[in-house]
Each structure stands twice: as structure tokens, then as C-alpha cells.
Amino acid sequence: MLLAVACGPSTPSGGKSSGNEKLVVGFAQIGQESGWRDAETASIQFYAGQNLDTIDLKFADAQQKQENQIKAIKSFIEMGVDVIGVAPVVETGWDAVFTEAKDAGIPIVLVDRMASVDESLYATFIGSDFIEEGKNAAIEMSALLGGTGKIVQLEGTVGASAANDRKKGFEDEIAANHPGIEIIASQTGDFTRAKGKEVMESFLKTYGSDIKGIYGHNDDMALGAIEAIKEAGLKPGSDIVVVSVDGVKGIFEAMAAGEANVTVECNPLLGPQFFDVCQTLKDGGTVEKWIKSDEGIFRADTAAADLPNRKY
Ligand code: AHR
């Protein structure tokens, strides 16, 4: 676990947040599993770096492990930070450590992923509607296939809200409104390109050209799947349509090259919003319980034109 990217001299010793001159924020990041995650980290670190006179960021990279995130949160509590931000790698298992933060008077801000805890244990959730993203992906998939075809699903990290909800949103929409679309296989690729490729290779071995579409819970896994499809001698984007979530530059390049079809955007550039919320909380203000991100849907036909405007 990497701690303290931007530790300044203002760390208090008393474990109370109110005495800090600067806004002292601890952020427990998940890791570096995807281009999206890197963009989120960069957004947070860049904003803090631009505001060193007012912000003291303590950053921990948990390398995909919940136990590391919990350790980081405990150390932030010890340090007496003003606010703790966390992108929970999985949804469950946070009650005890969030209660510790609450008892120490330090608000928890959930960033990008939800935790299933009582609402009283966090101040706000800043992030996307993952169910809506899954639903939109299903509508796009069905439209691309004319309402009929066998498809496979590459799921994100087991137990992550982004995986649980993108799966639910997608599968509920298919079941309710697209009877001709059949999900023949679904497996985790852990949100990484390497695992996305590996899982797609095994799907292709089992189902071959019966597969008409792939839904990836993120673009990185879809990019891995595209490699696997090409190596199997098939054409991604036409033999097998590709729909995924995030909106990273790599998928726009793939769409512009005709190798992917649709990405449902999920905004990782949360740094400015996050610190704004932290400052409000430090000042004793109130914030909405869910600060929802705006997101679009991007398709292959405009990808080349969209690409220069993408920021991550
Ligand atoms: O929680 C957001 C998800 O986490 C992104 O879609 C994915 O790329 C990342 O790993």
C-alpha cells in the first residue's frame, strides 16, 4: 500500500479534524486496474497538487485489497484528517471502519462506488448511476443486433457496486424488453484488460462464432476482448459487436477503427467536485446524499470526431 503522496506539515496529532489549518483529506483509492481508475486518481491528485496552499492530500493505493483500504482509513483517522474519501473496492464489509470514522467526527465521502452501509455512516456518494449504465448498454446492444442474438458478458470485480449494478441494469432490461437477446455466458474479468482477454478467449473456445455480442462492464475488459476476437480470426465490431462502459480514449480509438460499437460514459474526473464537497463538510455545511454524475452514450459513427475532445 502506498501512503502519503502529498503529506504536508499540517498533520495534527490529536485525532480531531477541526484544528487543521488546511483542508486535510485522506483518500483510499482501489488501485490501478483500469484506464478509468488512473484518470480518477489523476483528477484527484492534480486538483490537490494545484491547491497545495489550501489542500493537504494523503493518498493510499490499496492495490485492489479491501483490507488495505481499511488500514488506510484507520491511519487517516489516527492522523485526524478532516474528511476521508474512499472508492470502496467491494460493497460490503465497511460498517466497523466507517463507524470508527463517525465516532472520531470524520465524515466519509464515497467516491464512484457505493458501500452497503447505513446512510448515517457516510456523508455523500459522488458518482454514477450504474444501473442506468447497464440498462443503456442493453438497449444499445439490442439495437445493434436487431433484437436477436447470443451474447456474453464480462463482469467487473466480484462484489463491486459497479459490477453488481451494471449487471443488474443490463440483465433486467434484457429480460423485460429484449426477448430475442440471450446471455449465454457471464464471468468476471476483474475490470482489467488482461483478464478481459483471457475470459473472452475461453468464451470463444466454448461458443465460437455463436457469440454475436459482448457486453463489458468496462472498456478495458472490452479492449482485451477485442484482442481475443481478432486473434480468433473474427472481426470485433461486426462479427461480434462490442458494447462497454467508461468512455476511455482507447475505446474511442477502437470505435473509430470499426472494432467497437458503443461506450456508455462514466465520468472519472471527480477531483474538483470531491474537494468542493470536502471543504463544505469541513465548514459544517450539508451536501446531497447522492451527487450524481452526468453521462452520455457514444457510438462508433461519431468516435473519430469525438476523440480529440476526450479528456481521459
Ligand atoms: O467504479 C468504476 C469502475 O471501476 C470503472 O468503470 C472501471 O473501469 C473501474 O475499474
Side-chain angles (χ1 to χ4, degrees), residues 87-220:
V89 61
V90 291
E91 280 196 277
T92 55
W94 299 102
D95 300 77
V97 75
F98 286 6
T99 302
E100 276 180 49
K102 189 179 179 191
D103 291 347
I106 302 173
I108 294 279
V109 175
L110 301 175
V111 182
D112 110 65
R113 289 192 194 169
M114 265 304 282
S116 25
V117 291
D118 189 84
E119 281 205 353
S120 63
L121 291 179
Y122 65 93
T124 183
F125 166 54
I126 304 174
S128 309
D129 186 336
F130 294 139
I131 291 192
E132 189 69 15
E133 289 172 351
K135 180 182 172 180
N136 286 332
I139 293 167
E140 294 294 322
M141 176 67 82
S142 182
L144 284 163
L145 295 177
T148 315
K150 295 184 169 152
I151 63 161
V152 295
Q153 176 173 222
L154 289 172
E155 299 178 26
T157 302
V158 175
S161 66
N164 293 342
D165 290 355
R166 285 174 186 165
K167 181 178 164 77
K168 181 176 168 40
F170 187 86
E171 292 182 355
D172 285 357
E173 173 62 23
I174 294 289
N177 298 316
H178 311 276
I181 302 290
E182 191 188 344
I183 305 168
I184 54 173
S186 188
Q187 202 176 304
T188 181
D190 211 10
F191 281 130
T192 70
R193 189 171 176 145
K195 287 202 185 144
K197 182 177 181 198
E198 203 180 294
V199 175
M200 192 63 199
E201 281 167 353
S202 93
F203 284 162
L204 284 162
K205 265 192 204 129
T206 310
Y207 304 103
S209 57
D210 279 355
I211 304 172
K212 298 301 173 209
I214 168 249
Y215 164 46
H217 286 189
N218 79 347
D219 291 341
D220 279 61

Side-chain angles (χ1 to χ4, degrees), residues 221-242:
M221 290 189 296
L223 289 165
I226 288 169
E227 286 176 36
I229 295 167
K230 288 203 278 191
E231 284 171 17
L234 294 166
K235 286 196 184 117
S238 46
D239 291 335
I240 299 179
V241 300
V242 179

Side-chain angles (χ1 to χ4, degrees), residues 233-297:
L234 294 166
K235 286 196 184 117
S238 46
D239 291 335
I240 299 179
V241 300
V242 179
V243 176
S244 52
V245 183
D246 274 357
V248 299
K249 276 187 187 156
I251 206 75
F252 278 82
E253 284 159 3
M255 288 198 292
E259 295 182 343
N261 305 79
V262 175
T263 185
V264 177
E265 189 181 38
C266 179
N267 178 24
L269 307 177
L270 304 174
Q273 234 175 345
F274 170 62
F275 285 108
D276 198 41
V277 162
C278 291
Q279 187 64 58
T280 302
L281 291 169
K282 177 173 168 129
D283 294 344
T286 50
V287 291
E288 282 174 39
K289 211 68 196 179
W290 184 1
I291 301 170
K292 216 187 271 191
S293 306
D294 285 337
E295 40 208 29
I297 297 172

